[in-house]
Amino acid sequence: MGELDGKVAFLTGGGRGVGVGIAMALAKAGATIGLFGRTRDTLENTAATIAELGGRSLVCVGDTGVRADVDRGVAEVQDAFGPIWALVNNAYSAARTHVEDVTDEILDGALRGCIHGSLYTMQACFPTMKEHGGRIINFGSGGATMGRPELGAYNIAKEGVRGLTKTAAASWGQYGITVNTICPLAASDAYRTWFEDMIDDEGRRKHLEGIPMRRLGDPEKDIGALVVFLAGPGGGYITSRTLHVDGGNCYYDR
């Protein structure tokens, strides 16, 4: 039996990168998954792979930054499968910018892609979780906890997600709801593009030397495995935490 047999998960950003790895880990653990994102084709690809594993999923197309889309997606998944047990807020949107270059437009996009999206899904799932309990897993960033200069708007938004996590954990724990943040370092599409195309061999060497484990994380085996743990029996008394899954890369993890 899988750790999540009989459980329903709602995963945002499940059509590419780390989201696909998380979806595979959830499916192999026995969860039924609502796949939410903006691009139907990539979500359908993930759903097809889940089906090959013998799992079940439902594709819901929408934007996490639009409350009506989120409410519709959550309702569709719960109508099809029953109460959502695990909410995984993997989706985000933010441009790479230094603080002095952050415009209103860039900041608004980062906040909507990270904070609004996480808040909307949490609010949509709360009524059911208040009754049945549940696990909420948000995604932060080691770059934000360290304050990497080139990630100005992104860092602002991701640190806001951590504040949201801690506040909801303090308020919702009484209902049997845990809320945690994962800060991953994994070979997502955007990360792979940066690592392979935007820096040279020397840059790649130095980057890997800064990771004690000397490798990038695997979306399924490293990130997805922690998601499954937090959503499963072992995660029942862990809440309000920031968990860095980065091979030791982050030097500031409070």
Side-chain angles (χ1 to χ4, degrees), residues 97-118:
T97 49
H98 287 78
V99 170
E100 62 269 28
D101 298 322
V102 175
T103 64
D104 288 351
E105 182 180 6
I106 290 171
L107 182 59
D108 288 347
L111 295 177
R112 185 157 296 278
C114 297
I115 296 177
H116 287 72
S118 298

Side-chain angles (χ1 to χ4, degrees), residues 187-201 204 216:
S188 66
D189 293 350
Y191 200 99
R192 190 179 295 109
T193 297
W194 171 79
F195 186 76
E196 295 178 357
D197 300 335
M198 298 176 66
I199 57 175
D200 57 19
D201 289 343
R204 283 187 284 272
L216 300 181

Side-chain angles (χ1 to χ4, degrees), residues 28-238:
K28 290 177 182 178
T32 300
I33 309 167
L35 297 167
F36 188 88
R38 291 181 292 184
T39 308
R40 179 172 294 278
D41 287 348
T42 58
L43 294 173
E44 294 284 4
N45 289 340
T46 304
T49 305
I50 290 171
E52 291 173 0
L53 296 172
R56 295 193 302 162
S57 65
L58 178 68
V59 167
C60 302
V61 178
D63 187 337
T64 57
V66 178
R67 186 185 290 276
D69 286 3
V70 170
D71 289 346
R72 172 181 48 78
V74 167
E76 288 177 358
V77 170
Q78 296 197 131
D79 287 345
F81 300 133
I84 291 170
W85 168 255
L87 166 62
V88 185
N89 277 316
N90 165 70
Y92 74 92
S93 176
R96 296 171 67 91
T97 49
H98 287 78
V99 170
E100 62 269 28
D101 298 322
V102 175
T103 64
D104 288 351
E105 182 180 6
I106 290 171
L107 182 59
D108 288 347
L111 295 177
R112 185 157 296 278
C114 297
I115 296 177
H116 287 72
S118 298
L119 176 63
Y120 293 163
T121 54
M122 290 168 66
Q123 290 177 326
C125 291
F126 176 67
T128 300
M129 288 189 174
K130 182 178 180 180
E131 181 178 355
H132 299 281
R135 309 289 170 78
I136 297 173
I137 301 158
N138 293 326
F139 272 70
S141 166
T145 66
M146 292 187 290
R148 294 289 298 273
E150 72 277 13
L151 300 174
Y154 177 75
N155 289 351
I156 294 167
K158 283 299 188 179
E159 285 296 90
V161 170
R162 290 212 302 152
L164 172 61
T165 292
K166 290 183 282 187
T167 305
S171 180
W172 295 355
Q174 62 186 309
Y175 306 118
I177 303 170
T178 67
V179 193
N180 292 288
T181 300
I182 291 176
C183 294
L185 177 62
S188 66
D189 293 350
Y191 200 99
R192 190 179 295 109
T193 297
W194 171 79
F195 186 76
E196 295 178 357
D197 300 335
M198 298 176 66
I199 57 175
D200 57 19
D201 289 343
E202 180 64 13
R204 283 187 284 272
R205 183 187 65 78
K206 288 182 178 180
H207 183 66
L208 290 176
E209 285 183 352
I211 304 172
M213 297 296 293
R214 295 297 193 274
R215 66 176 178 86
L216 300 181
D218 181 88
E220 178 184 341
K221 296 178 181 178
D222 296 317
I223 313 307
L226 180 57
V227 169
V228 168
F229 173 78
L230 290 174
Y237 201 55
I238 302 171

